[in-house]
Amino acid sequence: MRPDDWYLTEDLDDFLARGGAFLRSRPVAHIMPLTWTGRLRTRGAAAYGAEAAVFGLLERDGETRAAFYRLSPDRGISLTPLTPGQADGLAARLAALGHTLPGVSADQDTAAAFAEAWRRHTGATATLRVRLHLHRLGTLTPPQPFPEGRGRLAGDQDLEHLMSLCRGFAADVGEDITIDADTWPRTRFADKSYTFWETPDGTPVSMAGLNPMVAGLSQVDPVYTPAALRGRGYAAAATVEVSRAALAAGATDVVLFTDAANPTSNALYRRLGYVPVVDWAGYAFV
């Protein structure tokens, strides 16, 4: 693909007017741009930095074939699936415009193709930072036996405990983030609904979050149980409860990401009925 087949804009409304139908046509494959553009529409264009976000669409013969977004200069680029030729055309276009990129995230083949193209055009080397599996819910299969207790939707009165659990989750996955009453509204955790799994005495022991539904798709994120309480089925119970809530709300697809290096979580979600559909990768550029 020619580099000039890529249409670039800093206007979110323009990006969605031209490419929104394309993004909604494959909600599972396009989960990240759907999720993050939804956040930008809610929070405003400057939510992730003083400099404007950049969006791009690969347009040819009257059709949109791919898309990307970059929220701020200190964040990497996120891509919908690309062929190696499409990835090379985008890397050439961005390099010619003087863009610097700290990294890329996309499905595994696209991320690898773009990392190699970026190396050719800029000399930057790429290091694999993370590998994920994207799972889609097939038939929800609650665990047997189910732990004692119940699910409960978290409310405003639970914010302190919820922030504590999110801090624990962020530390476990290596996110460098401050979560407190002041920063909470600007974090990626703030715009979700949460379900606690409580023991019979009413103690919350696990949580599962659910992103706002978009294009019929609901993403479960995050799921977290404090280390001292693991191995008792609480995370599975919380995941089942939030998955049921997504289906009851009308979701046609329910998805979640897992760390490819964590066999325990991958096995858990597959037992609950989640089926791996896409391998995901993130590269850091040096």
Side-chain angles (χ1 to χ4, degrees):
M1 289 284 178
R2 301 186 304 266
D4 57 3
D5 287 332
W6 283 93
Y7 172 79
L8 274 57
T9 180
E10 295 181 355
D11 187 323
L12 177 60
D13 290 335
D14 178 35
F15 173 71
L16 292 175
R18 297 176 73 123
F22 166 75
L23 296 178
R24 292 188 297 272
S25 69
R26 297 177 60 199
V28 174
H30 300 160
I31 179 175
M32 298 309 288
L34 285 169
T35 298
W36 284 97
T37 55
R39 285 184 179 140
L40 279 174
R41 296 200 80 166
T42 300
R43 302 185 184 189
Y48 298 98
E51 295 191 44
V54 177
F55 310 96
L57 296 166
L58 179 61
E59 298 176 329
R60 198 169 195 188
D61 300 329
E63 294 184 4
T64 300
R65 305 189 179 190
F68 79 83
Y69 68 91
R70 185 188 183 193
L71 298 176
S72 65
D74 62 341
R75 293 174 180 249
I77 189 171
S78 182
L79 311 168
T80 64
L82 301 175
T83 67
Q86 292 168 344
D88 185 77
L90 177 58
R93 177 72 180 278
L94 295 178
L97 292 173
H99 286 258
T100 58
L101 298 175
V104 61
S105 64
D107 67 274
Q108 183 171 284
D109 291 344
T110 296
F114 186 86
E116 172 58 23
W118 194 246
R119 182 198 64 79
R120 288 196 303 270
H121 290 285
T122 68
T125 58
T127 301
L128 182 64
R129 180 178 53 82
V130 66
R131 288 196 311 113
L132 305 172
H133 298 313
L134 178 62
H135 293 70
R136 179 183 180 275
L137 180 61
T139 301
L140 185 62
T141 308
Q144 296 295 334
F146 214 65
E148 291 187 352
R150 68 186 184 100
R152 176 176 68 82
L153 192 65
D156 293 341
Q157 74 278 9
D158 299 303
L159 181 58
E160 286 296 330
H161 187 60
L162 185 58
M163 289 192 297
S164 175
L165 292 175
C166 288
R167 281 192 291 269
F169 172 82
D172 273 10
V173 300
E175 288 190 36
D176 183 13
I177 185 173
T178 299
I179 301 175
D180 56 32
D182 291 332
T183 62
W184 174 258
R186 299 188 298 276
T187 70
R188 72 176 185 86
F189 300 100
D191 58 354
K192 308 170 190 286
S193 62
Y194 290 89
T195 295
F196 289 143
W197 185 259
E198 294 182 332
T199 54
D201 65 0
T203 302
V205 289
S206 186
M207 72 164 185
L210 193 65
N211 283 346
M213 191 187 311
V214 57
L217 180 146
S218 288
Q219 181 187 353
V220 177
D221 172 64
V223 177
Y224 179 72
T225 304
L229 298 171
R230 292 174 189 168
R232 307 179 193 185
Y234 297 148
T239 302
V240 168
E241 289 297 297
V242 80
S243 301
R244 284 173 171 163
L247 294 172
T252 54
D253 293 294
V254 184
V255 300
L256 54 78
F257 281 101
T258 62
D259 183 348
N262 187 332
T264 301
S265 64
N266 281 282
L268 165 64
Y269 294 120
R270 292 177 193 182
R271 288 196 301 271
L272 297 181
Y274 281 88
V275 180
V277 290
V278 179
D279 289 335
W280 205 267
Y283 288 86
F285 296 145
V286 180

